[in-house]
Amino acid sequence: MVKPIEKAAVIGSGVMGAAIAAHLAGAGISCLLLDIVPEHLTENEKKAGLTLEHPQFRNRLASSAIERLTKTNPPPLYSEAFASRITPGNLDDDLGKLADSDWIIEVVVERLDVKKSLFARIEKVWKAGTIVTSNTSGISIRAMVEERGADFKRHFLGTHFFNPPRYMKLLEVIPGETTDPAIVSYMTEFCEKRLGKGVVRAKDTPNFIANCIGTYGLLVTLREMLEKGFTVEEIDAVTGPALGRPKSATLRTLDLVGLDTFVHVARNVYDLVDGEAEKNVFEVPEVLKSMVNQGWTGEKSGQGFYKKVRTQKGKEIQALNLQSLEYAPARKITSASLEAAKSAKGAAAKIKALLSAQDKYSELAWNVLKPVLLYSADKLGEIADSIVEIDRAMKWGFNWDLGPFELWDAIGLQRSAERMEKEGDTVADWVKEWIASGHTHFYEQREEATFYYLKNAYTELKTRPEHISLQTLKRQNKVVLGNSGASLIDIGDGVACLEFHSPNNAIGADILTMIQKSTDEVRRNFRGLVIANEGKHFCVGANVMLLLMEAQDGEWDEVDGIIRLFQNSMMTLKRLEKPVVAAPHSMTLGGGVEACLPADRVIFSPETYYGLVEVGVGLIPAGGGCKEMALRTSRIAAGNPDIDLQPIINQYFETIGMAKVSTSGFDTKRIGYMGPHDSVVLSGDHRIYAAKQAVLAMDREGYVLPEEERIRVVGDTGKAVLQVASYSMQLGGYISEHDRLIAGKLAHVLAGGDVPAGTLVSEQYMLDLEREAFLSLCGEPKTQQRMQHMLTHGKPLRN
C-alpha cells in the first residue's frame, strides 16, 4: 500500500519551488517550504533588531517567496487565502520535519552535485514510505540517488512540473531504474486527479520528452532563420497559429521562457547526447550566446528578440535585427500561404493550407516542421514508449494544437514521408514498415474509440472513466437533439449534457431554443442535466452583434423578444423538475454566467474566469443575473427580517458595476458568485464526470424541485444609497456620465425598484425590471458605441 499524500514538503523556494508549493496548496495539501539559511542580515533586519538566530531571519528566503506568491501576476495561487497552507522554514533547523511529510519534492539548482548532497541529507531523516521526487528538467534520475539506499530508491522518481505549474497542464513522471511500479501508478493517478495535471511517463533520458523535442525544434528553427536570413517577425508569423502553435510562436516564446534558461537546457542536452550529428543540433548559436552575455534574456530583462518601448503614441513592440543587433518597430508579415492558413478552420487545416502554398514561408514551415517529425520518430522507444506520450507532452507542455504524430497524420503520412526521402532525409524504419503494411495514419478514429500505433499494430487508446469526451460520444451517435448552436448528448446513466458549440459559444436564439427543447427531453427521458462543453471557452456571453444590429435598426420589439426568450430559457432551466449541474471553464462571462446561475450546483474548473460583465458594453445583466444576486441577498434574511441587507447588495452592486471577473474557480467565492453547494474540481478532464456524478447523487437522494421564492429587496432607500455611491464616483472622476447612467439602472434593478425597503417581490417582477433597464440602455447612442467598439476591438470603450 502506498501512503496517501496529505502533507508535502518542497525544498527550494525559488520561482519554481514556490509555484509548486502554491499549486499543492491550491489542491488542499499543506506544504512545508524550505530553503537555505541566508548568510547575512539585511539592513532592515538589523533595524528590526533581528539576530542570526532569529527564525524570521533564518526563514527569510522561504517567507519572502510565500509573500511574493500573493503579488505575482499572473497569480500562482488560485486564491490568496491559500498562502496560509504553506509554512516557511529552513534546511538547518527544519530538516527533521520532513519526516512528517508524505511527499518531498526537491526543486533546487540544476546541479547534480548539489542534488546528490541534498538527497544524502534527506535520507538521514526520511521516514520509510515517504515518496521523494525531483523536479529536475533533465538531470538523470538514476545519477541523483545512485549512492542512496535501496528502499529510498524504490520511493524516488522524477516529477517534472512545467512552468508556471498552475497554468501548464504537463507533468512528466520519470521512474528510476528501481522505482516501485506501485508508486509510479499512484503518483500518476494522484497528480491527474488531485493536482489536475496531464501526466505523461517519460524515460530517464536527457531533458525527458517535451524539452527534448521542444528544444530540438526551437534550435532547428533558429538555425533555419540564421542560414536563410529570415527576420524575427517572419519566423514568428510562420511558427505561430499557422503551424498549430501558440501566438507566442518561437522567438516570443523564448523571450517568455528566458534565453538564459533555454541556453542552459540546450547545453544540458548537448552534454549528454551521443553522436556528432545530434550534438551539432543542440549547439547553441553564437548570436544567442551573445544576447545572453549582454543580459538580453527576454521578458525578465526587458529585451530579447523583442522589446517594448514607449513612444509619443504609447507602447511600441520592436524586433531585433540579428545582423546589426539593433531594434526596429516590428513589421506585420503577410503572404498567400499565411493568409490561406489564417482562413482555414482548425489546426490540421491551417497547417495543410500553409504547406500547400508555394512561397518562401511555405518552404520555411516545411523546413522547420520536417526535422521535428523525423526526430520524434527516431526518439520513440528512447524517450517514451508510445506516440501518445510524445504527442501529449508537446500539446500540454508547449501548447501545440497537435502533437508530432497527430501533425504527421494531418499533412498526409505517406505523401510527406515520400517527400522527405526524396529530399535525402532518413525516415525511421518503423515508420516505413508501418506505411508499407498499408497504414496511412498513426491514429485511427473509429466509432467506438480511438486507436493508435503501438509496436506495429493499432491499440485502443484507453481513457479513465472520469474523462468524458463529448466528441467521442458524438461519434458514437449519442446526440439526442441538436442545431447549429447546441446539442443535447446522452452521457450515460440517464444523464444528458447540453453542449454549446456556436462561434465563441455566444448565446443566441439557436442555443436558447435548444435549452427549451432540452428541458422537455430531460423531463421525459433523463434523470438530470449537465451544462458543459469542450470549447476553448465555456461561453463569452450573449450575441452582442445581433443585439446591436436590432438596436441600430430600432427594432425594439425584436430586442424585447430576444431578452424575453433569454429570461424564459433561464427560468425553464431553473424550474426543471430534474437536477441541473453546470460545469463552466475558462471564460464564462455575462450570459455564460446567467446560464449557470439557474443550476442546482456549479462545478467550476480551477481556471474559470467568471463574471457578469455587461457594463463593459454599456448594459446590465438581463438574463436573470441581477435577479439571482438579489435573491442570494434575500436568502440571508430568510427567517430574520431584521438583518441589514444593504452591505450585501452594495457588494453585488460594486462587483457587477465594475465588471469584476474571478481569477480562478476558487476566486468566485471571494466575489460572491459561488453558491453554498458549488465546488471546484482541479482536473479539467474530469469536470463533466464530476458534474454527472453530482446529478446522480441528487437524483438518488430523491430530488425535489425547490419552491419558488419571494425576494426581499432593499427598495427605494437602498437604491438611494447605491445612487449616492455612483454620484460620488463621478464627482471623483472615476466614472463618466454614461457610467453613472448605467449604474443608476443597475441600482434600480438590484434594489427592486421604487418599493419600500423589505418588500417581498417575485422573480418575474425582478426580471421585468432587468428587461426594462436593458431595453432603455440599448437605445442610448453611447451604449451602442460601446457595443460596436467591443465587437471591433475586443476591449471596452470608456465614453
Side-chain angles (χ1 to χ4, degrees):
M1 293 290 292
V2 179
K3 184 169 66 170
I5 295 172
E6 294 301 332
K7 294 181 179 180
V10 175
I11 303 176
S13 67
V15 172
M16 196 63 185
I20 290 173
H23 191 69
L24 298 179
I29 300 166
S30 60
C31 189
L32 178 66
L33 182 61
L34 303 183
D35 212 315
I36 61 173
V37 176
E39 294 183 0
H40 306 290
L41 290 163
T42 65
E43 290 302 317
N44 287 337
E45 286 170 337
K46 291 175 182 178
K47 290 177 183 177
L50 302 187
T51 67
L52 296 177
E53 303 306 316
H54 197 287
Q56 188 175 329
F57 160 73
R58 299 178 70 79
N59 298 341
R60 184 215 301 157
L61 296 180
S63 297
S64 298
I66 296 170
E67 184 179 351
R68 284 194 300 273
L69 289 175
T70 63
K71 299 174 181 177
T72 302
N73 192 34
L77 290 159
Y78 290 125
S79 167
E80 285 189 17
F82 293 167
S84 63
R85 298 174 181 171
I86 308 173
T87 303
N90 68 79
L91 281 167
D92 288 354
D93 304 328
D94 303 306
L95 192 68
K97 294 180 181 179
L98 296 180
D100 298 327
S101 298
D102 307 312
W103 180 15
I104 301 169
I105 311 171
E106 170 271 309
V107 199
V108 300
V109 65
E110 286 284 83
R111 278 179 45 188
L112 179 60
D113 59 333
V114 174
K115 293 179 186 290
K116 291 179 73 169
S117 174
L118 176 60
F119 288 125
R121 295 181 65 189
I122 290 173
E123 189 175 26
K124 293 176 181 178
V125 298
W126 176 73
K127 184 192 292 184
T130 299
I131 296 168
V132 184
T133 71
S134 171
N135 183 60
T136 180
S137 60
I139 293 178
S140 168
I141 301 300
R142 177 196 57 77
M144 281 190 273
V145 291
E146 59 188 355
E147 297 166 9
R148 307 279 58 81
D151 198 25
F152 189 92
K153 290 179 182 177
R154 278 196 297 272
H155 290 80
F156 182 78
L157 66 157
T159 49
H160 180 212
F161 290 81
F162 269 60
N163 192 30
R166 170 182 163 178
Y167 301 97
M168 294 301 293
K169 184 174 180 177
L170 180 62
L171 188 148
E172 293 175 320
V173 165
I174 311 101
E177 292 175 347
T178 58
T179 307
D180 186 340
I183 288 175
V184 178
S185 297
Y186 173 82
M187 288 301 292
T188 298
E189 184 168 352
F190 176 85
C191 292
E192 285 182 359
K193 287 187 175 181
R194 188 72 181 271
L195 301 186
K197 289 294 172 188
V199 177
V200 300
R201 292 195 190 183
K203 295 194 173 185
D204 191 8
T205 55
N207 277 28
F208 312 129
I209 301 175
N211 276 341
C212 175
I213 293 175
T215 303
Y216 179 91
L218 288 165
L219 286 167
V220 163
T221 304
L222 286 171
R223 190 156 285 109
E224 183 73 9
M225 174 176 66
L226 295 170
E227 289 178 359
K228 304 289 178 60
F230 286 105
T231 66
V232 165
E233 301 99 311
E234 287 177 316
I235 290 295
D236 278 355
V238 172
T239 62
L243 207 57
R245 311 279 174 83
K247 288 183 179 179
S248 56
T250 297
L251 305 178
R252 176 67 180 136
T253 294
L254 287 176
D255 276 357
L256 292 170
V257 169
L259 304 191
D260 53 339
T261 301
F262 175 73
V263 167
H264 170 80
V265 171
R267 283 175 175 163
N268 183 57
V269 185
Y270 179 87
D271 291 339
L272 296 173
V273 296
D274 296 321
E276 197 61 33
E278 195 168 4
K279 275 190 176 293
N280 288 340
V281 174
F282 285 99
E283 175 68 46
V284 177
E286 288 301 322
V287 67
L288 199 57
K289 295 179 185 176
S290 175
M291 290 170 67
V292 171
N293 290 337
Q294 292 184 72
W296 298 2
T297 55
E299 185 88 354
K300 58 189 174 186
S301 70
Q303 66 186 101
F305 288 104
Y306 295 93
K307 74 173 179 178
K308 291 180 183 177
V309 296
R310 290 189 177 277
T311 67
Q312 292 181 343
K313 296 180 180 179
K315 289 183 179 178
E316 179 181 81
I317 304 295
Q318 295 189 346
L320 182 66
N321 182 312
L322 293 179
Q323 280 68 47
S324 66
L325 291 184
E326 295 178 348
Y327 291 90
R331 298 183 300 113
K332 181 176 177 60
I333 305 299
T334 59
S335 76
S337 60
L338 291 171
E339 288 304 310
K342 187 176 181 180
S343 300
K345 301 296 182 184
K350 287 180 182 296
I351 296 165
K352 286 178 71 174
L354 177 63
L355 295 177
S356 298
Q358 299 296 318
D359 63 22
K360 67 175 184 176
Y361 297 130
S362 176
E363 183 183 355
L364 168 61
W366 173 251
N367 287 342
V368 299
L369 179 61
K370 176 178 64 172
V372 173
L373 301 184
L374 293 170
Y375 187 71
S376 299
D378 286 340
K379 288 296 178 181
L380 181 66
E382 180 182 335
I383 61 175
D385 285 327
S386 82
I387 64 171
V388 174
E389 303 288 337
I390 294 175
D391 280 346
R392 286 176 172 173
M394 299 316 298
K395 290 190 292 183
W396 295 343
F398 278 75
N399 290 324
W400 290 9
D401 291 329
L402 300 172
F405 298 99
E406 292 172 322
L407 205 156
W408 213 335
D409 278 356
I411 65 173
L413 172 59
Q414 183 174 350
R415 185 174 63 253
S416 59
E418 289 173 353
R419 179 180 173 182
M420 291 169 183
E421 291 199 300
K422 187 176 180 181
E423 293 174 352
D425 297 292
T426 302
V427 178
D429 289 340
W430 71 265
V431 175
K432 291 190 287 186
E433 290 169 8
W434 183 244
I435 295 171
S437 62
H439 297 97
T440 57
H441 292 82
F442 293 118
Y443 292 88
E444 184 172 278
Q445 298 288 351
R446 301 178 191 172
E447 184 178 294
E448 70 277 15
T450 299
F451 290 77
Y452 69 99
Y453 168 91
L454 183 65
K455 296 179 180 177
N456 211 33
Y458 271 131
T459 301
E460 183 179 349
L461 181 58
K462 299 288 187 181
T463 58
R464 293 184 180 277
E466 296 90 351
H467 185 191
I468 294 177
S469 167
L470 299 181
Q471 293 304 311
T472 298
L473 289 170
K474 286 195 281 189
R475 284 200 305 272
Q476 296 171 354
N477 299 314
K478 298 296 184 180
V479 176
V480 181
L481 300 168
N483 64 20
S484 61
S487 297
L488 185 70
I489 303 167
D490 184 343
I491 59 174
D493 300 315
V495 180
C497 178
L498 178 63
E499 176 203 32
F500 300 165
H501 46 66
S502 64
N504 294 317
N505 286 346
I507 297 177
D510 47 5
I511 288 179
L512 298 175
T513 300
M514 190 50 58
I515 288 174
Q516 302 275 359
K517 291 182 178 180
S518 295
T519 51
D520 287 341
E521 181 68 23
V522 170
R523 185 177 290 111
R524 289 192 302 266
N525 298 315
F526 289 90
R527 298 166 68 181
L529 177 67
V530 168
I531 305 172
N533 64 69
E534 296 169 331
K536 182 178 181 181
H537 302 295
F538 176 79
C539 177
V540 297
N543 188 331
V544 176
M545 173 73 79
L546 176 62
L547 285 167
L548 177 60
M549 289 171 59
E550 299 291 4
Q552 288 177 332
D553 291 342
E555 298 289 350
W556 303 117
D557 287 344
E558 291 294 329
V559 178
D560 181 75
I562 293 169
I563 303 309
R564 286 181 187 273
L565 178 60
F566 201 124
Q567 292 181 340
N568 291 340
S569 299
M570 298 306 111
M571 287 301 292
T572 299
L573 278 173
K574 187 169 185 176
R575 303 313 301 164
L576 181 61
E577 297 87 350
K578 304 290 180 73
V580 178
V581 178
H585 67 282
S586 194
M587 292 293 182
T588 305
L589 306 174
V593 173
E594 290 176 310
C596 297
L597 291 175
D600 297 287
R601 294 181 188 173
V602 179
I603 307 288
F604 294 101
S605 165
E607 300 306 333
T608 306
Y609 312 113
Y610 193 84
L612 294 165
V613 297
E614 286 83 351
V615 296
V617 289
L619 299 168
I620 68 163
C626 295
K627 179 260 296 182
E628 287 295 323
M629 296 307 105
L631 178 56
R632 290 188 180 188
T633 304
S634 175
R635 284 175 182 157
I636 295 170
N640 188 351
D642 295 329
I643 289 180
D644 184 7
L645 298 180
Q646 191 67 51
I648 304 162
I649 210 69
N650 290 352
Q651 201 65 43
Y652 281 124
F653 177 70
E654 179 182 315
T655 297
I656 298 172
M658 296 182 67
K660 291 184 179 180
V661 176
S662 70
T663 58
S664 70
F666 293 99
D667 192 52
T668 56
K669 183 175 183 179
R670 177 184 63 85
I671 60 177
Y673 288 143
M674 180 180 281
H677 303 296
D678 299 343
S679 59
V680 181
V681 59
L682 258 72
S683 175
D685 291 339
H686 299 173
R687 176 174 46 89
I688 298 174
Y689 174 84
K692 174 183 171 180
Q693 295 308 307
V695 166
L696 293 173
M698 285 187 279
D699 179 67
R700 285 192 298 268
E701 292 164 4
Y703 179 80
V704 177
L705 179 66
E707 294 183 4
E708 290 193 51
E709 300 174 72
R710 304 283 283 179
I711 302 172
R712 186 181 300 280
V713 296
V714 295
D716 49 8
T717 55
K719 172 183 170 181
V721 172
L722 300 178
Q723 288 175 325
V724 167
S726 62
Y727 178 64
S728 298
M729 291 283 284
Q730 185 188 3
L731 284 179
Y734 297 105
I735 62 175
S736 68
E737 183 179 351
H738 191 56
D739 290 327
R740 187 182 165 205
L741 173 67
I742 299 165
K745 300 288 185 181
L746 178 61
H748 180 74
V749 176
L750 284 175
D754 297 318
V755 297
T759 298
L760 293 173
V761 300
S762 68
E763 290 189 60
Q764 187 57 54
Y765 169 85
M766 294 295 292
L767 289 172
D768 290 341
L769 290 181
E770 284 188 1
R771 192 178 66 260
E772 291 163 6
F774 190 94
L775 280 166
S776 67
L777 286 169
C778 278
E780 293 287 336
K782 288 188 176 182
T783 283
Q784 293 181 17
Q785 290 169 13
R786 290 190 179 193
M787 295 167 76
Q788 184 67 62
H789 192 272
M790 179 63 76
L791 289 167
T792 305
H793 302 286
K795 56 185 178 182
L797 170 69
R798 295 298 303 276
N799 58 355

